Amino acid sequence: MAEAGSFAEKVKQQADIVRVVGEYVPLKKAGQNFRGLCPFHAEKTPSFNVHPTKQIYHCFGCGQGGDVFKFVMEMEKCAFPEAIRIVAEKCGIAVPRQKERSPEERKENQQRSVLVEMHREAQTFFVKQLEGTLEGQAARAYLEDRGLDKEAISRFGIGYAPSGGDALLRHLKSKYNEKLLVESGLVSRDQSAGRLFDRFRRRITFPISNESGKIVAFGARALGDDMPKYLNSPETPIYSKSNVLYHMDRAKEGIRRQDFAILVEGYMDAIAVARAGISNVVASCGTSLAEPQIKLLGRFTRRVVVNYDPDTAGQTATERSLSLLLEQDFEVRVLALPPVGDKKADPDLFIRERGKDEYLKLLKEAPPYVDYLIARARQMDLTTGEGKQRALNFLLPYIQKIPNGILRSEWATRIAQQLRIEEPLLRSALSKAAKERRSEIQTRPELIGRAAKPVERRLIRMLAEAEGFRQELATHLQNAHLYHGLETEKIFAALVIASLSGQPLQAPEVGALLEERDRRLFFEILFEEANEPTWEEAMSCIEALQHRQAERELADVQRSIEANPSAPELRGLLEKKQELMRRLAAAR
Ligand SMILES: [Zn+2]
C-alpha cells in the first residue's frame, strides 16, 4: 500500500501503531502484544490484538485486521490519503500540502476543502445577518427570549438566514460555480424552473461541526411558523447526518475526562446544557441515534445518559437509541426530566426554569435504563394476563440485547418482582430470546477456523520473521514447488515473492496483497506464540512438506491406475508409484 519513499511510507515508519490505536481503544500489554476490546464488534473479553513490531492489528473475534492506516480508515470512515494525514498529525509528522495520490483523489479533496471553505463563508455571512440587519433583530429578540445572550450567541456561532430567498446565493455566486453551490447543500435548485435559491430562509442558524471542529453543515430553526420547524443541511460530500454528533468537537475532552456523555436531541438542548457548565453533552440532531454516531461516541466513553424530549417522538427515539447502545455494550442511564409547571420539559426549558443545580442533581440520580423501562411498562395495564404479556413483550427485546448473561439474569429477577410476573414464565421467555440471539450470532459472516496444518503455519511464520535465512528458505520452497495445492498456497506465494525481492518484509503489505480469508489466517499466524526460528527447524518443516507432497502424488497416481489406463500408460504409472513409495520409505 505504501510505496517506498512516499510520504505514506515515511509516516508508516515513524508511526507507532500502539499509540495511534490506543487513542481509540484502551490497550493493555499482553505478552509481546497489546490487547483490548475490539472496536469493530461487541465483546466482553478482549480479542483485539496489536503487534508493536509488525505494526499490525488483528481481531480473533471478527477477523478485522490490517495496518495503522487501515485502522484509521475503518474508525474514521475515511479514504487512504485522509488516513495518512490523520496518522501523520497524531504522530507530529509535518504533512506536505497537496500530495494526493491520484487525480480523482486530488479533485475530491479539493472539492471537500472548497465545500468547507464555503461553509466558513456562509457562517460569517449568517453571523453578520444576525448582528447587523433589521431582519436579524427579530431573530435576536427570539434568542433573547430563549435566554441566549450575546456571549452564548457568539460562543455557539448562532446566525441568521434572511428571508429574501437568494441573499446567501448572491453572496457566494461570484466565487463558486452553480454545481458547487448546489453540492454544498446551502443552495437548492427549483426542480421545475431550474432556478437557484437559498436553502435556509428566515431561520436561525446553528453551525454543525465535525469532530475536528470544521463547520460541515447547518441546522436551522424557523423564526415564524414555517414548516418544518427544524431544517438541516442535506447529505453532502462533507456531511453525513449519521456520522456527526452536534457539539462533539467541544465535548470530547470532557467526555473522556468524566468517562460519560450526555445525549440530548437538539442543538438548543446541547447549548443549554453546555452553557450550564456541563461540557460533556452531544446532540444526535435527529430523532434517533445512528450506528456510526454510536461508534463515534464509543471512542471516548462507554457510558451514556440519554436525556431526550419527553414527548412521544422523544420517547420512541429514546427507546430506539437505547436498543442500539445496548447492542454496542454501552452502560446506559436515562434522565427523564419532570414537567415544569404543566409543561413537559426538555433540557433547555428545564435548565432555564429550574436552574443548573437542579439539573445536575437529577443527572446524578438518573436511573439505569432497565428501571426506566420498567417504569414505562408499569404504565401499561398489568391487571390482566394479556396486559402482562404486552409489558413483557415490550421489555424482552431490550433485555435480549444485553450481551452480559449475569446482568441479563439480574434484570429478569427485577422485572419479575416489579411487574409481578411469575419468574419461571419470564425465564422461559428469556431463554427463548437467548436462543434467537445465539442464532443471530451464528449467521454472522464466517470466521477463520480453517485447517492449516501446523507445519504450514510454522513455515509461514518463519518466512515472515527469519531475517537470517528468509531468502534461502523462500528459494527452497519455490524450487521444489512445495506449497502448490496447499490451503495456504496464496499466503506462501505472496511471502515468497516478498522474500525474494530482498527488501525487508512488511507484514501489512503482504497482508494487503491477500484476499480477506487468507489475510485473516496470515495475521492469526503472526499473533500466535512462537519461538525464534532456526534453520534446522525450517529444514525439518520442509521435509514434512516433501513427505506430504509425495503422499499427495501417490494418491493421484493410484487414482490414475484405477481409472483403467492403456498398457504403456499403466507401465509409466507403476514406475512412478514405485519411485514415490521408495521416497516415502526413505523419509521414514
Ligand atoms: Zn472484532
Side-chain angles (χ1 to χ4, degrees), residues 37-43 47-48 58-64 444:
L37 290 172
C38 179
F40 304 112
H41 82 280
E43 61 175 8
S47 45
F48 177 81
H58 177 72
C59 173
F60 283 86
C62 66
Q64 286 265 8
R444 282 195 335 198

Side-chain angles (χ1 to χ4, degrees), residues 451-511:
K453 301 269 172 352
V455 37
E456 294 167 48
R457 288 174 172 259
R458 191 64 195 127
L459 276 168
I460 286 170
R461 181 69 178 256
M462 282 194 246
L463 273 176
E465 269 174 11
E467 301 300 335
F469 55 84
R470 171 181 300 130
Q471 252 175 302
E472 273 174 274
L473 181 56
T475 313
H476 222 87
L477 284 163
Q478 196 184 39
N479 291 348
H481 303 287
L482 278 178
Y483 49 87
H484 291 189
L486 296 179
E487 278 281 324
T488 48
E489 176 173 349
K490 291 202 174 110
I491 304 176
F492 271 110
L495 279 169
V496 164
I497 291 168
S499 303
L500 294 178
S501 76
Q503 301 287 326
L505 191 129
Q506 304 285 346
E509 262 139 58
V510 173

Side-chain angles (χ1 to χ4, degrees), residues 310 337-346 349-350 352-354:
L337 296 167
V340 174
D342 56 358
K343 274 187 284 185
K344 291 179 170 177
D346 55 33
L349 177 72
F350 188 88
R352 267 187 292 139
E353 298 289 324
R354 295 286 188 80

Side-chain angles (χ1 to χ4, degrees), residues 317-335:
T318 304
E319 279 148 24
R320 204 165 334 128
S321 304
L322 275 178
S323 289
L324 269 173
L325 286 163
L326 290 178
E327 272 172 56
Q328 302 291 328
D329 220 2
F330 273 75
E331 185 189 315
V332 185
R333 292 185 295 142
V334 178
L335 173 54

